[in-house]
Amino acid sequence: MGFVRLVALKMSIKIFLIMIFCLLVSIQCNAEAKMEERNTNLTHTAYDELASKGFPSGLLPNSVAKYFFNKSSGDFSVHLNGRCDIILPPDNYPASFSKTVRGKLTEGYIQELSGIRVKAFFKWWSITGIRSKGEKLVFEVGMVTAEYPSVNFDESPDCGGSSHSSA
């Protein structure tokens, strides 16, 4: 009976050591993945992410403090230095960005958008999506859409209304 307990103890120790080894490998892989994600965020800007999906950088004001982008799902959040009020070209509609803008960015489409409002017809409306259609951008406000030339959004606006190059 003592021999069986000794064998069982040795097997338990081996299993325990294997589990510890697997845990350490898993922790190392997670640390490397997080480091890679941080490096990506350091080398790419929110404006670069927009451009990579076919959008002009001027869709965001120049006050981006940080952003997060999940490459597999397309989910993003952009954090500004604070709330940002601008004038949207070409019709000079007042617009307001919340401190945080969220949505889902895929090739040619920003959907599930929150954090951007525009004032039209004496009322504030939330922009819920933006589509890129060649030289045009289609802004979605619920079921209603408005189409504008994308060149109107080549420069990132300053908070307060004027334009600033996004370079």
Side-chain angles (χ1 to χ4, degrees), residues 37-159:
E37 183 177 321
R38 274 190 226 121
N39 289 341
T40 299
N41 284 341
L42 293 175
T43 58
H44 289 91
T45 66
Y47 309 103
D48 294 332
E49 295 296 347
L50 279 174
S52 75
K53 300 296 185 189
F55 291 97
S57 60
L59 287 177
L60 288 173
N62 65 0
S63 61
V64 173
K66 62 183 176 177
Y67 83 102
F68 301 97
F69 180 64
N70 182 320
K71 289 186 185 292
S72 59
S73 70
D75 293 331
F76 72 87
S77 62
V78 175
H79 303 276
L80 306 178
N81 290 326
R83 196 183 108 192
C84 180
D85 297 321
I86 64 166
I87 302 298
L88 285 177
D91 295 331
N92 295 324
Y93 287 117
S96 180
F97 288 79
S98 298
K99 187 173 181 173
T100 302
V101 177
R102 289 185 172 86
K104 185 174 217 160
L105 177 63
T106 57
E107 187 66 37
Y109 192 28
I110 303 170
Q111 57 190 325
E112 301 172 23
L113 191 56
S114 68
I116 305 174
R117 299 180 321 140
V118 62
K119 188 174 184 180
F121 307 112
F122 307 105
K123 184 177 175 182
W124 285 97
W125 305 87
S126 293
I127 297 175
T128 57
I130 305 171
R131 290 186 188 272
S132 178
K133 290 176 62 178
E135 299 297 315
K136 303 271 187 190
L137 292 175
V138 179
F139 292 83
E140 300 172 349
V141 179
M143 298 298 287
V144 178
T145 63
E147 193 171 285
Y148 294 101
S150 62
V151 296
N152 290 331
F153 301 92
D154 283 346
E155 294 183 0
S156 293
D158 287 329
C159 295

